[in-house]
Amino acid sequence: MAEFSLDLTEEQRDLRDWVHGFATEVVRPAAAEWDAREETPWPIIQEAAKVGLYGFEFLTTCWGDPSGLSLPIACEELFWGDSGIGLSIFGTGLAVAAIYGSGTPEQLLEWVPQCFGDLDSPTVAAFCTSEPEAGSDVGAIRTRAVYDQATDEWVLNGQKAYATNGGIAGVHVVTASVDPELGSRGQAAFVVPPDTAGLTATRKLRKLGLRASHTADVFLDDVRLPGRCLLGGKEALDERLARAHSGQRAASQAAMRTFELSRPTVGAQALGVARAAYEYALDYAKERVQFGRPIIENQAVAFTLADMKMEIDAARLLVWRASWMGRNNRPFTAGEGSMSKLKAGEVAVTVTEKAVQLLGGAGFLRDHPVERWYRDAKIYTIFEGTSEIQRLVIARAVSGVQIR
């Protein structure tokens, strides 16, 4: 019988320590500045590229880990440094995951390198799926892609909302409806190459948290794309649409395939934020003296910290399980991917709120980073599937009932 172990391998420990070192030395010292500037930290992205932390080679190394743990380990450490800067570095990975999940090998070779650029001039990529009327309801996407058979081109029109790296990206991956009669089953994903006419982003959105990460609405006005920009190719799309029209069960839509790949990774990001807040609060409680003794000697404070640690570790186990299952093609029969993201996101909100409370008035000031982590944490119960949507996915999986 194979030995069971939760010990990390030497390679995983080295990866963890390497990313943690980058987060400590490069990310954390710059976090407050870029949060205040609300700008993309291009110098840090470039530094990440130079050391090998930003690029497809890094992602493929993580994806190649048969345990599936390398990417969540790296995410937790980088986002422990700062989640806004972390998303600026890892946000491109969502577009890459979309290409990886839906594209052909030839499309991977063509488009993925363009997502990252080169060491001297790194670029970012954007995955655009949410819309003003289609957030949690991905099936309500109105962006339309129409095939022009005479030119072998697709023409896209519509609006995308809340796109990470939207407008500043070189490559945009856009989900669109190609057959509105089929709803979510009639969607496809397209690569919009750099400098394509008709794609614009009018303004950067100002956010509660993750301020170092660029977010914008993206508009598509008669964007014409060569046929090769349809991820998966037209033959595969036509076959899928024909199955759907005949009533056969179809694979999940393009956006949902990407989210299924990314939810445990997003959970790992939330873990990094939560752990940063817990560690800071723990150190503060040991040093802060009230009524003649450190506040950690009070049960109320010590028990709060114990709960924070327990919840973080419990969430990590869910993230690791889902990551392992995804990497080894084990089906999420009980919504395990959603469980990991749901738990980690809500733990991040709870733990950062408790950290602010433990610091008292000091926690409300920008002199301490817990207020930034508190602001950053909230998004993890919202993007890539709200907590309510995660519960819906889990409930449907365990009950077998189409709960609404």
Side-chain angles (χ1 to χ4, degrees), residues 119-285:
L119 295 182
D120 294 325
S121 300
T123 58
V124 294
F127 179 60
C128 307
T129 188
S130 293
E131 297 183 1
E133 303 300 325
S136 295
D137 184 8
V138 177
I141 284 175
R142 294 182 179 179
T143 296
R144 187 80 165 91
V146 177
Y147 183 61
D148 185 342
Q149 190 169 358
T151 60
D152 185 31
E153 290 180 320
W154 289 89
V155 183
L156 274 62
N157 284 281
Q159 177 184 352
K160 294 298 180 179
Y162 315 125
T164 298
N165 296 330
I168 66 169
V171 170
H172 291 74
V173 179
V174 176
T175 57
S177 173
V178 296
D179 192 335
E181 292 183 8
L182 294 173
S184 62
R185 295 181 297 167
Q187 295 174 4
F190 298 84
V191 171
V192 182
D195 302 318
T196 298
L199 186 148
T200 58
T202 55
R203 65 185 179 94
K204 176 184 177 180
L205 302 177
R206 303 188 69 184
K207 308 189 297 294
L208 173 70
L210 300 185
R211 293 179 177 178
S213 172
H214 181 95
T215 308
D217 290 348
V218 173
F219 298 86
L220 302 111
D221 183 11
D222 285 337
V223 172
R224 301 188 72 90
L225 303 175
R228 75 178 196 283
C229 291
L230 167 63
L231 289 177
K234 192 169 187 305
E235 182 177 347
L237 173 63
D238 289 342
E239 291 177 358
R240 177 162 62 84
L241 295 178
R243 289 196 303 271
H245 276 292
S246 68
Q248 297 181 44
R249 183 177 177 83
S252 58
Q253 64 265 37
M256 293 311 300
R257 283 198 296 274
T258 301
F259 292 146
E260 287 161 7
L261 286 170
S262 65
R263 276 174 178 157
T265 303
V266 174
Q269 297 173 10
L271 279 174
V273 180
R275 201 184 95 218
Y278 158 73
E279 291 176 357
Y280 195 93
L282 176 63
D283 289 342
Y284 183 89

Side-chain angles (χ1 to χ4, degrees), residues 72 75-76 79-80 83 86-87 90-91 210 262 264-274 319 344 348 380 383-384:
C75 278
E76 180 178 337
F79 283 68
W80 170 91
S83 55
L87 193 59
F90 275 9
L210 300 185
S262 65
T265 303
V266 174
Q269 297 173 10
L271 279 174
V273 180
V319 167
Y380 289 100
F383 75 170
E384 293 200 47

Side-chain angles (χ1 to χ4, degrees), residues 7 22 29-30 46 64 132-133 135 143 170 195 239-240 246 254 290 298 368 373 393-394 404:
D7 286 336
F22 183 85
Q46 185 173 36
E133 303 300 325
T143 296
D195 302 318
E239 291 177 358
R240 177 162 62 84
S246 68
Q290 288 286 279
N298 298 306
H368 296 273
W373 295 329
V393 171
I394 297 164
R404 297 185 182 277

Side-chain angles (χ1 to χ4, degrees), residues 275 278-279 303-316 351:
R275 201 184 95 218
Y278 158 73
E279 291 176 357
F303 284 8
T304 297
L305 288 162
D307 285 343
M308 292 161 73
K309 173 62 172 172
M310 176 183 65
E311 291 294 327
I312 290 169
D313 284 6
R316 185 181 295 109
V351 167

Side-chain angles (χ1 to χ4, degrees), residues 53-64 71 87-117 123-128 164-165 169-175 189-192 231-232 254-255 257-262 265 384:
L53 187 57
Y54 183 74
F56 189 53
E57 184 176 351
F58 173 76
L59 284 181
T60 52
T61 298
C62 289
W63 288 343
L71 189 55
L87 193 59
S88 288
I89 295 172
F90 275 9
T92 294
L94 191 58
V96 172
I99 298 171
Y100 182 83
S102 301
T104 64
E106 293 76 18
Q107 289 172 324
L108 263 69
L109 290 173
E110 178 177 6
W111 299 116
V112 168
Q114 295 186 53
C115 289
F116 294 101
T123 58
V124 294
F127 179 60
C128 307
T164 298
N165 296 330
V171 170
H172 291 74
V173 179
V174 176
T175 57
F190 298 84
V191 171
V192 182
L231 289 177
R257 283 198 296 274
T258 301
F259 292 146
E260 287 161 7
L261 286 170
S262 65
T265 303
E384 293 200 47

